[in-house]
């Protein structure tokens, strides 16, 4: 699902008030997306362990608000601004799902469908107002709000779904394999003409969350839980460095802005 496959409703984009605020959908997009999901998972757990759940959630919420404020303030896509916001959504989205389970005792069998309903409601309202869910139309403030609301909901849903499969007997590695296979389904369905570009994109976008989180958890947790026992801090640092490397490359090469500039 590259950018050219997502152009099906670009003609319906209203008068632009700013440049598109979302990067081109390339291989780099999906790699960084998976990395941010894993980093957000372990960073959230690390902060909760070091600071305690309540201070961690408060700090995560402030960092998310600050990153989104910067993202909304800029008038075009800027790699480090955009991906910083995604990282903070990942961290806070993980915390939101964990608060329901750990703090309020809501089982993953209930929180997962709950976040499905939340995401569906966001998409329904977005489409009812804008008549499109395409990421190529993020050129107005209202669409940008809908976009980030959907992103936050996908992260919370992905976290709950990943934890559900991991605690249901698959373990973290088994969950990672499951979601690695699952993420191929929308891509194959789209290329086969069964699934349109926009729903295929958002389906894959949701699946990247449990995929990355399961991989990161598998690397971090102890052998007794089926992991590599590398630890939360080392895994968080390693994935953060990887994200910084890819984002730095895109900021310099602008490989993810070619279509945006031509549009």
């Amino acid at each position: 699902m590259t950018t050219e496959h997502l152009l099906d409703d670009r003609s319906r984009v209203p008068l632009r008030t700013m440049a598109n605020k979302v990067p081109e959908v390339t291989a780099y997009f999906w790699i960084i997306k998976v990395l941010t999901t894993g980093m957000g998972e372990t960073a959230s757990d690390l902060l909760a362990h070091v600071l305690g759940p309540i201070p961690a959630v408060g700090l995560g919420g402030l960092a998310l608000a600050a990153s989104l404020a910067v993202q909304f303030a800029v008038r075009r896509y800027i790699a480090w601004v955009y991906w910083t916001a995604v990282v903070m959504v990942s961290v806070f989205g993980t915390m939101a799902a964990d608060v329901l389970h750990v703090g309020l005792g809501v089982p993953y069998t209930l929180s997962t469908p709950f976040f499905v309903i939340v995401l569906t409601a966001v998409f329904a309202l977005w489409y009812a107002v804008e008549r499109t869910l395409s990421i190529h139309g993020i050129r107005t403030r209202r669409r940008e709000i809908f976009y980030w609301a959907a992103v936050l909901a996908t992260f919370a849903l992905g976290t709950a779904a990943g934890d559900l499969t991991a605690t249901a007997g698959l373990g973290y590695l088994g969950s990672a394999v499951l979601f690695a296979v699952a993420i191929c389904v929308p891509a194959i369905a789209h290329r086969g003409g069964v699934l349109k570009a926009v729903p295929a994109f958002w389906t894959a976008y949701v699946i990247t969350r449990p995929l990355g989180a399961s991989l990161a958890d598998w690397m971090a947790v102890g052998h007794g839980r089926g992991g590599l026992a590398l630890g939360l801090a080392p895994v968080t640092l390693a994935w953060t460095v990887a994200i910084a490397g890819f984002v730095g490359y895109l900021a310099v090469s602008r490989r993810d802005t070619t279509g945006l500039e031509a549009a």
Side-chain angles (χ1 to χ4, degrees):
M1 283 174 291
T2 56
T3 294
E4 59 267 25
H5 297 134
L6 291 166
L7 303 180
D8 55 348
D9 63 350
R10 183 175 285 181
S11 61
R12 294 198 295 271
V13 174
L15 182 64
R16 302 174 187 174
T17 61
M18 53 190 173
N20 195 41
K21 301 286 289 293
V22 177
E24 291 285 277
V25 182
T26 66
Y28 296 108
F29 178 93
W30 294 113
I31 291 171
I32 300 174
K33 176 61 170 61
V34 171
L35 288 171
T36 61
T37 64
M39 180 270 184
E41 175 75 13
T42 55
S44 174
D45 291 343
L46 180 62
L47 287 172
H49 178 74
V50 173
L51 302 177
I54 295 178
V57 170
L59 180 62
L62 290 174
L64 172 62
S67 64
L68 286 178
V70 176
Q71 169 64 22
F72 277 92
V74 298
R75 302 291 295 175
R76 61 182 177 83
Y77 164 71
I78 300 174
W80 72 267
V81 173
Y82 174 85
W83 287 111
T84 297
V86 172
V87 165
M88 294 318 307
V89 168
S90 177
V91 173
F92 191 76
T94 300
M95 292 177 175
D98 288 345
V99 163
L100 281 180
H101 180 71
V102 179
L104 301 179
V106 179
Y108 294 125
T109 52
L110 292 181
S111 61
T112 300
F114 168 75
F115 286 122
V116 169
I117 294 172
V118 171
L119 180 59
T120 301
V122 172
F123 281 148
L125 182 59
W126 183 357
Y127 190 81
V129 173
E130 300 291 343
R131 310 308 298 174
T132 178
L133 301 178
S134 173
I135 64 170
H136 289 287
I138 314 302
R139 296 187 176 91
T140 67
R141 184 68 67 225
R142 186 169 61 190
R143 288 191 177 185
E144 191 172 15
I145 292 172
F146 279 128
Y147 173 78
W148 286 104
V151 169
L152 182 57
T154 65
F155 273 88
L157 168 59
T159 298
D163 288 338
L164 173 63
T165 58
T167 56
L170 285 179
Y172 294 114
L173 181 58
S175 293
V177 173
L178 171 66
F179 291 114
V181 173
I183 202 170
C184 297
V185 174
I188 295 173
H190 172 60
R191 290 186 179 277
V194 178
L195 191 62
K196 291 186 178 181
V198 172
F201 169 82
W202 282 112
T203 301
Y205 196 92
V206 170
I207 298 173
T208 58
R209 172 59 191 173
L211 171 60
S214 297
L215 284 171
D217 276 333
W218 172 64
M219 295 173 66
V221 301
H223 297 303
R225 299 171 62 189
L228 298 180
L230 299 179
L232 291 172
V235 172
T236 300
L237 178 60
W239 286 53
T240 300
V241 170
I243 293 169
F246 278 107
V247 173
Y249 169 73
L250 292 178
V252 173
S253 67
R254 301 179 67 81
R255 292 286 297 273
D256 60 343
T257 62
T258 303
L260 304 183
E261 294 170 346

